[in-house]
Amino acid sequence: NRESPTGVVIIEIENNSAAQRAGLRVGDIVLSINHQSIKNLSDFQELTSQLTGKCLMKTLRGFSVIE
């Protein structure tokens, strides 16, 4: 019995945004930022509001985990 990953699904990417430059795609699931798990939208918003430069983001795209 495998648990489903928790994270935030990307539903829109703005042109010329940091997300677009980072290579994120609609449908990607952000699992963690800087090794801190994302469980819900509040976690995502809190962690991204603290970013000042590059970060390590772990995402799920289809069946592949991308870091």
Side-chain angles (χ1 to χ4, degrees):
N1 185 18
R2 298 178 76 183
E3 286 188 35
S4 296
T6 59
V8 173
V9 178
I10 303 297
I11 59 170
E12 182 179 12
I13 303 278
E14 293 183 16
N15 286 335
N16 300 314
S17 66
Q20 184 182 49
R21 289 188 298 276
L24 290 174
R25 297 182 189 168
V26 170
D28 285 354
I29 302 172
V30 180
L31 305 173
S32 68
I33 297 174
N34 291 335
H35 304 289
Q36 294 186 355
S37 295
I38 305 291
K39 295 180 181 68
N40 52 48
L41 184 57
S42 293
D43 288 349
F44 180 80
Q45 291 172 328
E46 181 180 340
L47 289 171
T48 55
S49 72
Q50 298 170 8
L51 295 176
T52 58
K54 292 184 179 184
C55 70
L56 177 63
M57 189 173 294
K58 185 176 184 181
T59 61
L60 181 65
R61 181 176 294 156
F63 295 105
S64 300
V65 174
I66 302 166
E67 294 192 58

